[in-house]
């Protein structure tokens, strides 16, 4: 387990509406090939079972790089990603295999700012009052709580 994961505070669980309505609706649309503001279904192998686990995610593009941000903190898909080193992004029948590199806390503020600028209405509650207009210092303070992965297409994959 990384130092970041070891220092993880209590994870904020999503509410009933998010789990039963929002996530399921976005996953349903994404399964049918309709992206909602960059939504994809992330598939990553479980670190213990080896079985594919799926969860809806928002893919952020910033300066020609793509990122996955964990707004709810250190959750199952982040632990699995650290072990697997990549996974698949699904949009309808399209499957994109990728590799993932975890971003260090010092490099997260610009990514977190851009993520919050785009999706604050959806995920802002998980960022302890920090938003896209917060100071660099405030973004650095929350960085350890929110894993970020830079994703790249897997070599030889389209």
């Amino acid at each position: 387990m990384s130092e970041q994961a070891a220092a993880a505070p209590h994870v904020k669980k999503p509410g009933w509406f998010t789990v039963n309505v929002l996530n399921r609706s976005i996953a349903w649309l994404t399964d049918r090939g309709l992206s909602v503001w960059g939504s994809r279904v992330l598939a990553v192998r479980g670190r213990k079972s080896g079985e594919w686990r799926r969860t809806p995610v928002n893919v952020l593009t910033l300066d020609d790089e793509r990122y996955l941000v964990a707004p709810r903190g250190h959750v199952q898909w982040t632990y699995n990603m650290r072990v697997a080193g990549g996974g698949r992004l699904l949009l309808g029948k399209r499957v994109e295999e990728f590799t993932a590199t975890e971003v260090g806390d010092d490099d997260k503020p610009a990514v977190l700012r851009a993520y919050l600028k785009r999706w604050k209405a959806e995920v802002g509650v998980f960022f302890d009052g920090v938003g896209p207009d917060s100071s660099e210092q405030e973004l650095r303070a929350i960085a350890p709580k929110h894993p970020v992965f830079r994703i790249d297409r897997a070599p030889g994959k389209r």
Side-chain angles (χ1 to χ4, degrees):
M1 186 181 304
S2 74
E3 283 183 38
Q4 293 172 337
H10 176 68
V11 173
K12 291 185 180 181
K13 299 283 186 189
W16 182 91
F17 181 81
T18 299
V19 170
N20 293 295
V21 178
L22 187 62
N23 282 357
R24 287 183 183 181
S25 297
I26 291 174
W28 186 85
L29 289 168
T30 304
D31 279 345
R32 281 143 188 84
L34 299 171
S35 176
V36 180
W37 279 71
S39 66
R40 298 289 186 277
V41 172
L42 168 66
V44 63
R45 288 205 182 266
R47 65 194 178 281
K48 296 175 186 172
S49 70
E51 294 179 18
W52 288 100
R53 304 295 182 188
R54 295 166 45 118
T55 190
V57 294
N58 294 317
V59 178
L60 173 69
T61 300
L62 177 65
D63 298 330
D64 296 323
E65 299 282 353
R66 294 184 312 150
Y67 299 91
L68 293 176
V69 175
R72 292 178 184 88
H74 298 270
V75 293
Q76 294 303 316
W77 75 259
T78 64
Y79 296 122
N80 292 338
M81 185 71 69
R82 287 183 184 111
V83 172
R88 297 175 177 162
L89 291 173
L90 312 172
L91 180 60
K93 294 181 180 182
R94 290 184 291 194
V95 177
E96 176 191 347
E97 294 190 29
F98 68 90
T99 59
T101 304
E102 191 160 8
V103 174
D105 290 343
D106 290 341
D107 297 321
K108 289 180 186 177
V111 176
L112 293 173
R113 185 181 306 284
Y115 189 85
L116 286 164
K117 186 174 183 177
R118 181 141 186 174
W119 290 292
K120 184 181 180 199
E122 180 182 339
V123 299
V125 68
F126 302 111
F127 286 87
D128 298 325
V130 174
D133 299 324
S134 295
S135 71
E136 184 86 3
Q137 182 179 359
E138 290 170 312
L139 289 162
R140 285 185 184 284
I142 65 161
K145 298 177 184 178
H146 300 281
V148 174
F149 295 88
R150 190 186 77 242
I151 58 174
D152 296 294
R153 288 193 199 290
K157 302 292 179 179
R158 290 182 46 121

